[in-house]
Amino acid sequence: MDIYQKLDAAAYLRGNEYPGRGVLLGMSPSGKAVLAYFIMGRSDNSRNRVFTTQGDDVIIHPYDASKVEDPSLIIYAPVRTEGLQTIVTNGDQTDTILTHLRSGGSFQTALQTRCFEPDAPNLTPRISGILHLGTPDFTYELSILKSADAAGTGCNRYYYAYPALPGLGHLIHTYEENGNPIPTFQGEPRRIDVPEDLDAFTETLWQNLNEQNRISLYVRYTDPVTGRYESRLINKFGKD
């Protein structure tokens, strides 16, 4: 087994009916900082969502506000930009991390104050990432907060720190596969081959997420020195 093998994103996603929400960070072959975030849904409440942009941030809104049942775990800002640091998460811990950074804290100190989602029996993990830009040799971090047992009596916290390498990304997602309850992600973030072309990568990710369950996708390629970026956004419902 080659532990340094890079997985093909299309094949990896195509083989999983329900990875849930996913965060990918990495570097393009030419040195751009790459960020991708996708959401999926099985219930009507989870599927009733769209991504919108607000300045440099991404916000989730209900597609049909009249159908919102419980907004607490589905409406949040998955992407926040603070100077040359970009945060991406699957919940309101985005703002927890932002608050800690602004007060002199860090990605890890922020997540020490958070835990998995209170959605028994799934006990959905909180997944988070941050790009530390400002230099061509940028770095990034990923984290997953998971229940220690089926009863949710404790929280296990896992942190991963990476030097950016050309053509390599790391993907972490909430669920290992579909199920009831849904089994949480296992092991380390997956090593994913990252191409140069933003549009091609966006299309690859979107087309290989399960058509029934995919909801929204956001992809950003950033110059790590200047912070200037290009992005693409796809919503299943409503306007992109």
Side-chain angles (χ1 to χ4, degrees), residues 196-215:
E196 186 61 40
D197 189 273
L198 166 62
D199 289 310
F201 195 42
T202 302
E203 186 71 7
T204 292
L205 295 174
W206 183 250
Q207 291 302 326
N208 289 283
L209 290 168
N210 181 270
E211 185 175 3
Q212 181 178 359
N213 295 321
R214 67 189 182 192
I215 303 299

Side-chain angles (χ1 to χ4, degrees), residues 28-30 32 34 194-204 219 221 230 232:
S28 75
S30 70
K32 295 289 181 64
V34 175
V194 174
E196 186 61 40
D197 189 273
L198 166 62
D199 289 310
F201 195 42
T202 302
E203 186 71 7
T204 292
V219 185
Y221 276 43
E230 288 188 84
R232 302 291 185 267

Side-chain angles (χ1 to χ4, degrees), residues 62-139:
Y63 174 58
D64 184 345
S66 68
K67 296 181 178 179
V68 174
E69 299 169 8
D70 178 8
S72 63
L73 295 176
I74 66 167
I75 307 301
Y76 55 93
V79 178
R80 296 282 198 196
T81 304
E82 176 72 1
L84 288 172
Q85 297 191 95
T86 305
I87 306 159
V88 54
T89 88
N90 74 324
D92 63 9
Q93 72 268 27
T94 311
D95 292 326
T96 303
I97 296 167
L98 182 64
T99 298
H100 274 248
L101 293 179
R102 287 176 173 173
S103 63
S106 68
F107 181 72
Q108 290 196 23
T109 61
L111 292 172
Q112 287 296 120
T113 70
R114 301 304 304 267
C115 202
F116 52 86
E117 295 181 357
D119 62 340
N122 295 318
L123 302 175
T124 298
R126 290 190 187 271
I127 56 172
S128 308
I130 187 168
L131 289 164
H132 301 291
L133 306 180
T135 172
D137 301 319
F138 66 91
T139 63

